Amino acid sequence: MRKKILLTGGTGFIGSHTAVELINSGFEVVIVDDLSNSRIEVLDNIEQITGKRPHFVKLDLRDFGAIQNVFQNHQIESVIHFAAKKAVGESVEKPGLYYDVNINSLLNLLKLMVDFDVSGIIFSSSCTVYGQPEVLPVTESTPFQPAESPYGNTKQICEEILRDSCNANDHLKVISLRYFNPVGAHESSLIGELPIGVPDNLVPFITQTAAGLRPELKVFGGDYDTPDGTAIRDYIHVVDLAKAHVVALDRSINDLQKSNYEFFNVGTGHGSSVLDVIKSFEKSTGEKLNYNITGRRSGDIEKIFADTSFANRELGWKAEKGLDDMMASAWEWQLQVPKLFPDI
Ligand code: UD1
């Protein structure tokens, strides 16, 4: 039986783009997802892009027996764990749900990895682990500040669980990828970010506003200590991010890790303000965006961007696409959404 890569949350935004890059690199992919924030049709679109259909099982990772069956039925070589709740605001309202889903899913996977002798896992961490850092850009050794939300806290706790597990078990090989702000879509416009309901994140809100689905974009905060007063993030094209997973997986499988717990910043190294993103969107698409600057969103930090030199050097990976590419591809995808998903 061929060895397979288990992608939890593989029908989601980052998971689906990573599935495509893995299949294109010759890996066989098994996706598990509860479809709570993604659509089953994504499998058809992955197949259309790659010519190969991933294996798929619908399950909730908190259901130990369900995920155990997947390990029994497929010879899993490594795991890439995307599946998690990720809305910062919702996490403040429902902290119990966030701790339950994000932490118990990881604990179940780690237990099964030991039971089935699977050593490698790539974990979807986030720049949120740094909180509001005192010094920018953030390097991997920048100390964690207290998390700004229960969501952020779950990512810090999951990294601690992984570090402790690596200390206790030499056979485990973990790479945490600390994503900055992934945006954009695949060049085929067959997969992209598909928020269910009102988007929380900036770029889908921009594209939905330009498409006439939302009356206006609210820019949260114009009085930050930044050159134009709006908050700064490090936006990264989702395809660049997906490729970082393939590189990390090769590193893990080929035993190239320098220690059994590694973590990398995955960003571009460039900070862009909300107004920079809007300008880039208007320039690269020719669309005019209706927006208004309003009050700050609670839980938001002022600015963060990555020092990516460690990831560039150690992984031999570098983000290639710029903000205009991210915006143009996000818009092309938005234009396809009504055709691909007429009921949305
Ligand atoms: C946050 C987390 C990130 C997480 C992501 C998942 C931090 C630093 N980042 O990203 O780890 O993966 O949520 O959802 O905690 N904005 C507007 N109007 C809008 C929406 C957003 O002005 O309608 C602004 C925000 O205030 C922010 C920027 O756009 O300054 C980006 O926001 P968003 O796309 O929601 O991502 P983060 O909050 O940075």
Side-chain angles (χ1 to χ4, degrees):
M1 209 178 353
R2 259 192 77 190
K3 292 200 170 171
K4 300 165 186 168
I5 310 302
L6 175 66
L7 266 61
T8 74
T11 47
F13 176 43
I14 306 168
S16 58
H17 286 81
T18 303
V20 165
E21 296 305 318
L22 287 172
I23 294 169
N24 285 343
S25 304
F27 289 101
E28 190 168 345
V29 167
V30 179
I31 290 177
V32 298
D33 202 300
D34 67 358
L35 299 176
S36 60
N37 196 30
S38 62
R39 298 276 299 241
I40 190 78
E41 296 90 328
V42 169
L43 296 172
D44 302 331
N45 300 343
I46 294 172
E47 185 176 6
Q48 207 175 318
I49 297 168
T50 63
K52 297 217 171 78
R53 191 172 185 84
H55 304 270
F56 176 75
V57 182
K58 180 174 186 278
L59 59 78
D60 183 328
L61 283 167
R62 289 171 295 175
D63 180 345
F64 187 82
I67 182 67
Q68 188 178 37
N69 280 339
V70 174
F71 278 82
Q72 256 149 13
N73 295 337
H74 297 274
Q75 197 181 349
I76 302 298
E77 169 148 31
S78 296
V79 178
I80 307 185
H81 179 39
F82 299 101
K85 306 284 297 172
K86 60 146 200 149
V88 175
E90 184 189 44
S91 79
V92 177
E93 310 280 312
K94 301 177 187 165
L97 177 68
Y98 273 66
Y99 289 111
D100 183 19
V101 172
N102 291 5
I103 292 169
N104 286 321
S105 299
L106 177 64
L107 292 175
N108 281 348
L109 281 173
L110 287 172
K111 169 139 197 348
L112 287 165
M113 286 173 63
V114 172
D115 292 351
F116 286 86
D117 205 18
V118 176
S119 56
I121 179 167
I122 315 292
F123 174 66
S124 296
S125 188
S126 165
C127 67
T128 196
V129 296
Y130 297 113
Q132 174 59 70
E134 276 157 19
V135 181
L136 289 172
V138 281
T139 70
E140 284 77 358
S141 48
T142 297
F144 289 4
Q145 302 293 333
E148 299 279 331
S149 66
Y151 158 74
N153 204 22
T154 65
K155 291 293 174 187
Q156 290 187 346
I157 293 169
C158 285
E159 283 210 21
E160 282 165 17
I161 290 171
L162 288 165
R163 183 179 285 110
D164 290 345
S165 303
C166 283
N167 283 337
N169 178 352
D170 291 348
H171 296 294
L172 201 55
K173 295 182 285 186
V174 178
I175 300 180
S176 286
L177 297 180
R178 294 176 181 163
Y179 310 157
F180 282 68
N181 284 58
V183 299
H186 192 261
E187 59 183 1
S188 64
S189 301
L190 284 166
I191 52 172
E193 191 166 4
L194 192 63
I196 301 207
V198 182
D200 288 310
N201 296 112
L202 178 63
V203 173
F205 211 104
I206 288 178
T207 58
Q208 290 197 4
T209 304
L213 301 171
R214 312 271 160 218
E216 66 166 20
L217 169 77
K218 290 189 172 60
V219 174
F220 297 136
D223 58 351
Y224 284 112
D225 182 18
T226 60
D228 65 22
T230 65
I232 289 179
R233 299 286 185 275
D234 184 338
Y235 296 90
I236 174 170
H237 198 295
V238 65
V239 172
D240 280 329
L241 176 58
K243 288 179 175 164
H245 290 81
V246 180
V247 172
L249 187 66
D250 278 332
R251 182 177 176 90
S252 161
I253 290 175
N254 295 315
D255 280 325
L256 298 173
Q257 289 187 221
K258 302 246 164 87
S259 73
N260 69 337
Y261 183 60
E262 291 190 321
F263 41 97
F264 297 98
N265 285 344
V266 188
T268 64
H270 299 291
S272 304
S273 70
V274 179
L275 291 182
D276 290 334
V277 174
I278 293 171
K279 274 186 222 136
S280 166
F281 177 80
E282 291 187 330
K283 182 174 99 180
S284 55
T285 65
E287 297 293 317
K288 189 93 197 76
L289 193 75
N290 188 23
Y291 69 90
N292 256 306
I293 298 184
T294 62
R296 294 181 180 191
R297 178 171 72 175
S298 78
D300 264 349
I301 59 166
E302 184 167 86
K303 52 188 163 206
I304 190 163
F305 51 97
D307 181 329
T308 60
S309 49
F310 181 63
N312 298 157
R313 197 173 60 243
E314 273 298 315
L315 296 176
W317 163 93
K318 197 173 186 339
E320 282 165 5
K321 294 173 190 281
L323 196 56
D324 291 350
D325 265 352
M326 302 178 210
M327 294 303 118
S329 63
W331 180 235
E332 288 304 316
W333 158 248
Q334 180 67 54
L335 295 176
Q336 291 308 310
V337 168
K339 297 173 201 160
L340 294 168
F341 303 94
D343 58 315
I344 283 188

